[in-house]
């Protein structure tokens, strides 16, 4: 068995050979925490969450780094607009991102480094790049000299002579307009850090080269991100890291976008749907099914209809799981997934084909139930659970057990009918003047955290202060 992955750098699917047998190191470009996450952001991480789960299933030890870009032009602009510190904006949104990832059942990364925690590493990297003739300081900025690095633009396969690299505000003193800023000179009212070239702050690209080096060493297996990052961000990461002396990433994997009318869902385009809004309308597990099951290299055009289809497809799977559990109790996941599922996943994470195996197995399981063949139904459920576990979609997984609490109104109905049963018994005890039983029932409800009030309409319950 060999896992194959589409490597953007090679423009083809390649057999995956880890640098260190049995281990996989992955670096994924994470969020710029300037606003709350939209479903496109979460799709990106979800694709890599499934990749990570598949490597783990295949017996690899996975080290997964996802950074947080907590300093950036847009964060500073928001801070000025809202008259709040830049770090308050960053931290608030970092939490919103983590809540979004968690709501959709994504596993936390092994490490989650923040850019601002790694300024010394960035300064060290710039110093060596300057010493080696790949970078220079000008007007308090530090630029990478793109002509000094022959491998520049190999990932995106562009010609340097045709390249337009827009300069940011205050980026003066460039030797070549295509040189990019690794470090930006201090501007009034902005956060700054001291460096040998003056006060300033990191540009976006430098942090990833520096943090990948720190947490994964000079070479690692897979670098990921959305398609939009290939140029300039990933080209610039490669230039910095390789000119520094690192071998850097061996495979480049890029996820496609969630789109709206064909455009990338994006905060700046104003066409984004926030995760926090979506989870009010849709069960998080259904959202995960919707965003996680198309192939990671296919665009997802946002549509309510497709969401409803995802909801009913997932309901077919969940219905089968529930029916078997009702008949046979909890069935543990099988140790192995069916071979057709594994084959699909090995082939560049072919989740749509793998999902087809889940649905086929569910149909077989339903037939077994209809034929009253409990043993076969149980065996199919064990397989289904093993497959769903890899996709992070097992409804019996403890992660989803609390799902009801997000949907308080459903749970409220259930609790209400249970409490009513106890209150009816209490009323009956009172009617027969059995005060001891009536008080005991009330005490039990109180101990469960419920407050009971007697009103002219009969007893009412509410949750106690906690
Ligand atoms: N619509 C989308 N679909 C899939 N992935 C996305 C989408 N938007 C952003 N991503 C990915 O999410 C990760 C974090 O993105 P980042 O915080 O840099 O946002 P961004 O691309 O600036 O988003 P926006 O355009 O909304 O400002 C990156 O890997 C990026 O490629
Ligand atoms: Zn990056």
């Amino acid at each position: 068995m060999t896992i194959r992955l589409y490597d953007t750098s090679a423009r083809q699917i390649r057999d995956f050979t880890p640098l260190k047998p049995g281990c996989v190191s992955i670096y994924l470009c994470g969020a710029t925490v300037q606003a709350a996450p939209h479903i496109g952001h979460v799709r990106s991480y979800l694709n890599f969450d499934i990749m990570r789960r598949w490597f783990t299933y295949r017996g690899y030890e996975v080290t997964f780094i996802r950074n947080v870009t907590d300093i950036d032009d847009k964060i500073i602009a928001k801070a000025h607009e809202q008259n709040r510190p830049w770090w308050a904006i960053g931290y608030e949104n970092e939490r919103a991102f983590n809540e979004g990832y968690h709501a959709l059942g994504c596993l936390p990364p092994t490490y989650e480094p923040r850019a601002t925690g790694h300024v010394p590493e960035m300064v060290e990297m710039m110093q060596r790049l300057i010493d080696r003739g790949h970078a220079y300081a000008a007007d308090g900025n530090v630029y990478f000299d793109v002509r000094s690095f022959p491998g520049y633009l190999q990932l995106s396969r562009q010609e340097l002579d045709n390249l337009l690299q827009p300069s940011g505000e205050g980026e003066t003193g460039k030797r070549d307009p295509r040189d990019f800023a690794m470090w930006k000179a201090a501007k009034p009212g902005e956060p700054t850090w001291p460096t040998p070239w003056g006060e300033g702050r990191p540009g976006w690209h430098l942090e990833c080269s520096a943090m990948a080096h720190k947490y994964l060493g000079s070479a690692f297996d897979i670098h990921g991100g959305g398609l939009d990052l290939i140029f300039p961000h990933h080209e610039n990461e490669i230039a910095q890291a390789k000119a520094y002396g690192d071998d850097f990433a061996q495979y480049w994997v890029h996820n496609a976008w969630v789109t709206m009318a064909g455009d990338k869902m994006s905060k700046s385009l104003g066409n984004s749907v926030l995760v926090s809004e979506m989870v009010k309308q849709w069960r998080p597990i259904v959202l995960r099914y919707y965003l996680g099951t198309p192939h990671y290299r296919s665009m997802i055009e946002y549509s309510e209809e497709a969401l409803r289809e995802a909801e009913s497809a997932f309901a077919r799977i969940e219905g089968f799981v529930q029916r078997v559990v009702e008949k046979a109790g909890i069935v543990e996941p099988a140790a192995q997934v069916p071979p057709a599922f594994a084959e699909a996943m090995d082939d560049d994470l072919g989740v749509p084909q793998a999902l087809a195996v889940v649905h086929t197995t569910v149909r077989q399981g339903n037939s077994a139930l209809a034929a009253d063949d409990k043993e076969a139904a149980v065996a199919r459920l064990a397989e289904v659970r093993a497959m769903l576990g890899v996709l992070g979609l097992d409804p019996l997984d403890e992660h989803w057990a609390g799902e009801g609490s997000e949907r308080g109104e459903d749970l409220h109905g259930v609790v209400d009918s249970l409490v009513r049963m106890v209150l009816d018994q209490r009323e009956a005890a009172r009617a027969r003047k059995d005060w001891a039983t009536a008080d005991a029932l009330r005490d039990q409800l109180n101990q469960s955290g419920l407050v009971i009030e007697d009103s002219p309409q009969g007893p009412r319950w509410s949750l106690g202060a906690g």
Side-chain angles (χ1 to χ4, degrees), residues 27-30 67 69 204-209 211 223-225 229 233-234 237 248 252:
Y27 185 97
L28 177 68
C29 294
N67 69 303
T69 302
W204 172 31
H205 315 300
L206 185 61
E207 66 182 86
C208 290
S209 305
M211 295 193 286
H223 195 315
L229 301 191
H233 184 56
H234 288 162
E237 278 190 36
F248 213 50
W252 284 89

Side-chain angles (χ1 to χ4, degrees), residues 29-32 38 40-41 226 228-229 255-258 264-267:
C29 294
T32 303
H38 56 62
H41 294 125
D228 49 312
L229 301 191
N255 65 272
W257 299 327
V258 174
K264 171 180 176 276
M265 185 174 284
S266 163
K267 284 166 290 207

